[in-house]
Amino acid sequence: MTPPRDPGSDGSDDLELPCGETVDPHAIDLGMREYRCPCGDVHAVVTDVHPPSRFFPESLVAILQETIDTDDEFEEFGTPHLMGVVLEEFPEEVVVHDAADDGAVGYTLLWIADFDARRLHEIIVELVVELMEHAISHADDDAAITEFESQMLEFDVSTFVEQYRREREFESEYDQPI
Ligand SMILES: [Zn+2]
């Protein structure tokens, strides 16, 4: 737990990115999915306000919420858990900013990755498939396991992400699932 600091534009609250640049968290708005960085790269931006359905369908979100126990301050499996897993896998490539004490932004948590939003999307889908495999392997239902495994054989992360991003390119954080 870091001590709260005064938010402001004096640079004290700036977030250092994996590429070495810094960004003022107040410059990130909720509709932002990517940050065009002075380093020349585009970095994926996620806030806790973004629903997990930014990355995969609500039906899958519902399954994860049912099967994954969370023992933290968040009531059910959501974007903070997803990003927690990403952070574990890529500790050097993702930075997190806690804005809980900062009323000037609309989010509580902000993550910025070294890679772009599309790569992040692929990573998240891959991690979710792993979570599902883990959850399914504990199931007592051989038929369910077999069915899941055969579905996964045909599942292509890159194709899925491509399609999902085409069909579900959210315009704003208020965009609701169809
Ligand atoms: Zn950068």
Side-chain angles (χ1 to χ4, degrees), residues 17 19 21 37 39 43:
L17 302 180
C19 63
E21 297 284 344
C37 186
C39 77
H43 304 307

Side-chain angles (χ1 to χ4, degrees), residues 73-88:
E73 72 264 39
F74 303 103
E75 275 181 20
E76 53 185 20
F77 186 86
T79 298
H81 302 100
L82 282 180
M83 292 310 296
V85 183
V86 175
L87 204 56
E88 248 174 60

Side-chain angles (χ1 to χ4, degrees), residues 146-176:
T146 311
E147 164 152 19
F148 180 78
E149 283 173 348
S150 72
Q151 281 174 0
M152 282 304 116
L153 283 178
E154 290 165 21
F155 183 76
D156 182 73
V157 171
S158 160
T159 309
F160 170 84
V161 167
E162 178 91 36
Q163 276 180 4
Y164 201 76
R165 294 178 72 76
R166 199 164 50 223
E167 288 163 18
R168 294 287 296 270
E169 198 47 72
F170 290 134
E171 293 288 314
S172 81
E173 76 277 15
Y174 304 111
D175 203 341
Q176 288 295 308

